[in-house]
Amino acid sequence: MTKKIKLELMWIGKENRPKLEPRILIENPTKSYHAAQRHGESDIFDNRLIFGDNLLALKALEQEFAGKVKCIFIDPPYNTGSAFRHYDDGVEHSIWLSLMRDRLELLRHLLADDGSLWITIDDNECHYLKVLCDEIFGRANFVANAIWQKKYTVANDARYLSDNHDHILIYAKNMNLWLPNKLPRPSSMDARYNNPDNHPKGRWKATPLHAKSGSQSADTFSYKFRNGVSWSPPPGTYPRFSAASLRRMDDNDEIWFGKYGTATPSRKTFLCDLTNIGTVPLTVWLYSEVGHNHEARNETKAFNSENPFATPKPERLMQRIIHLSSHPGDLILDSFAGSGTAGAVAHKMGRRWIMVELEETCHTHTSFPA
Ligand SMILES: C[S@@+](CC[C@H](N)C(=O)[O-])C[C@H]1O[C@@H](n2cnc3c(N)ncnc32)[C@H](O)[C@@H]1O
């Protein structure tokens, strides 16, 4: 008989829950602005920047937005013990867990069934946060822990190891309903495609006719092409295509037998058939693709050189997350807004957005006095 034991993350004060009185959000007309009228259905009109504690703000948003947010991005204080110029980043570990738990539960409620949550965090709390999120979202809805190379220089003053990456914990509200969008194909991938036989479909790349796994019986499979060449999958592999597909490819001159017609047959995989497919995102995100901390700081300096926000995220990182998780018109929520990178990038990408920020920087950094 097998015995199942349920393990749970415990911390001092876990049982204490804040009592949340219902709140309403009140617009401050002196700080609001938008066009006088809508011009089209796709106009983005009702974005919100909320000044206050996100616990209360998220509670207040529930009534209108429960189940409607497509992508939640949060970049909470990492609990590093630092006192940044614009906010404090050090509370007792168990208090941090309780603060996060209370907010994550509300965030989950706001997420659409086909939505996803993305959290940036470092080694101080990442692994506790992972277990906490497992409890709230379910382990089955954990998508990945992407590693973001936030820094490319070595910290030679580091006592142990130079800390060069952050984690991005990714959860789906429901793994069966969520899929990330593909990334655009980098043009370097296209360089491998040529057209040595001047095929009317254009540039192609030779790819194997066999696969590592498959359902067709490999032992008995053999196919004879029009030129008399017979092909069977190499030992331990499987045919990638049915006999009918091989016949169709052979008839359309889509099988390559090498420059001299003597090579092992392979499939011509055409570039024109791939361009809309894109590439699957990796779990390692290099600074060259999505930016780094220094780049983010320069971005904020460009419009506030006197007092740049201490810990912004680069726009390219936000672009990647928003691209993978949403489409134009979808709603993006960032409840730890800081300098407002998530909302700014969401706006540029044609998404709707809601941001929440607790500190006065909401008026000086997230938004500017008009
Ligand atoms: C790491 S920063 C976010 C930086 C942001 N991603 C950017 O690109 O600028 C975390 C922010 O969360 C805010 N914050 C912390 N606790 C909060 C709370 N309870 N409600 C709302 N905002 C909070 C802090 O004031 C700080 O601005």
Side-chain angles (χ1 to χ4, degrees):
M1 197 178 88
T2 53
K3 196 172 158 192
K4 279 194 177 166
I5 303 171
K6 187 176 178 254
L7 295 172
E8 201 184 330
L9 179 66
M10 291 307 294
W11 66 86
I12 296 161
K14 184 176 184 182
E15 66 289 357
N16 299 335
R17 301 260 173 185
K19 204 160 170 274
L20 288 179
E21 304 294 344
R23 303 282 171 127
I24 46 165
L25 296 165
I26 299 171
E27 183 179 347
N28 182 342
T30 62
K31 297 210 156 102
S32 296
Y33 51 91
H34 54 65
Q37 65 189 69
R38 283 182 192 273
H39 293 278
E41 269 311 296
S42 58
D43 280 3
I44 296 176
F45 220 67
D46 295 319
N47 299 320
R48 297 179 193 196
L49 171 58
I50 301 167
F51 173 46
D53 186 341
N54 51 21
L55 188 71
L56 302 172
L58 295 173
K59 187 76 197 152
L61 287 169
E62 261 185 336
Q63 204 176 353
E64 192 178 348
F65 292 102
K68 295 200 175 145
V69 181
K70 192 68 191 285
C71 163
I72 296 177
F73 165 77
I74 55 168
D75 177 18
Y78 287 3
N79 213 17
T80 57
S82 320
F84 290 119
R85 184 165 182 187
H86 302 116
Y87 64 94
D88 254 348
D89 190 26
V91 292
E92 209 273 309
H93 174 59
S94 55
I95 294 178
W96 189 87
L97 286 171
S98 288
L99 291 172
M100 290 307 294
R101 186 264 323 270
D102 298 337
R103 285 151 182 84
L104 285 164
E105 285 177 350
L106 289 167
L107 289 170
R108 185 176 176 279
H109 198 204
L110 290 166
L111 212 49
D113 287 342
D114 60 350
S116 57
L117 166 74
W118 305 67
I119 314 176
T120 44
I121 194 76
D122 75 3
D123 279 344
N124 282 288
E125 295 288 5
C126 175
H127 307 89
Y128 291 91
L129 182 61
K130 161 75 170 64
V131 179
L132 178 62
C133 288
D134 281 349
E135 280 182 17
I136 297 167
F137 285 79
R139 275 184 83 174
N141 292 315
F142 169 65
V143 177
N145 172 17
I147 298 300
W148 167 46
Q149 189 185 18
K150 64 181 171 185
K151 215 170 100 179
Y152 57 89
T153 50
V154 180
N156 281 317
D157 57 348
R159 181 151 186 211
Y160 302 108
L161 277 80
S162 171
D163 172 27
N164 283 51
H165 74 279
D166 272 0
H167 305 261
I168 304 173
L169 293 179
I170 308 163
Y171 280 81
K173 170 95 171 257
N174 179 342
M175 197 71 157
N176 297 322
L177 300 179
W178 184 78
L179 273 181
N181 295 320
K182 296 267 168 46
L183 290 174
R185 280 171 60 79
S187 50
S188 57
M189 285 177 90
D190 295 354
R192 289 179 227 142
Y193 290 73
N194 295 306
N195 194 357
D197 59 346
N198 213 12
H199 195 283
K201 278 182 80 177
R203 288 161 62 188
W204 53 267
K205 184 176 86 168
T207 53
L209 296 180
H210 64 270
K212 278 191 207 146
S213 59
S215 53
Q216 298 184 75
S217 167
D219 297 342
T220 53
F221 191 95
S222 174
Y223 186 83
K224 195 164 185 179
F225 292 101
R226 282 181 301 159
N227 61 4
V229 170
S230 285
W231 176 82
S232 298
T237 69
Y238 294 79
R240 189 181 290 271
F241 305 100
S242 65
S245 299
L246 289 174
R247 187 173 320 114
R248 186 185 43 75
M249 288 188 234
D250 197 18
D251 288 346
N252 292 331
D253 199 14
E254 293 180 5
I255 299 291
W256 177 240
F257 298 92
K259 203 169 164 189
Y260 304 105
T262 52
T264 305
S266 52
R267 178 197 185 201
K268 295 177 191 172
T269 298
F270 290 93
L271 189 57
C272 64
D273 291 334
L274 294 181
T275 40
N276 289 330
I277 294 176
T279 59
V280 171
L282 276 68
T283 49
V284 174
W285 295 12
L286 301 178
Y287 76 87
S288 51
E289 296 163 13
V290 293
H292 46 80
N293 277 342
H294 190 63
E295 174 174 317
R297 207 154 153 81
N298 282 341
E299 283 168 357
T300 59
K301 270 189 188 163
F303 52 86
N304 193 343
S305 57
E306 299 286 292
N307 181 15
F309 191 74
T311 58
K313 289 290 178 279
E315 292 210 4
R316 288 196 287 160
L317 178 71
M318 295 319 309
Q319 249 167 29
R320 160 84 51 105
I321 292 174
I322 292 171
H323 172 88
L324 291 177
S325 60
S326 66
H327 294 107
D330 283 339
L331 181 58
I332 314 290
L333 167 65
D334 177 358
S335 55
F336 293 89
S339 65
T341 320
V345 174
H347 201 107
K348 290 183 202 173
M349 294 175 73
R351 274 64 166 174
R352 295 174 296 131
W353 54 265
I354 299 173
M355 291 195 285
V356 188
E357 174 53 52
L358 173 69
E359 300 289 346
E360 278 296 323
T361 45
C362 188
H363 307 302
T364 53
H365 289 70
T366 328
S367 83
F368 279 118

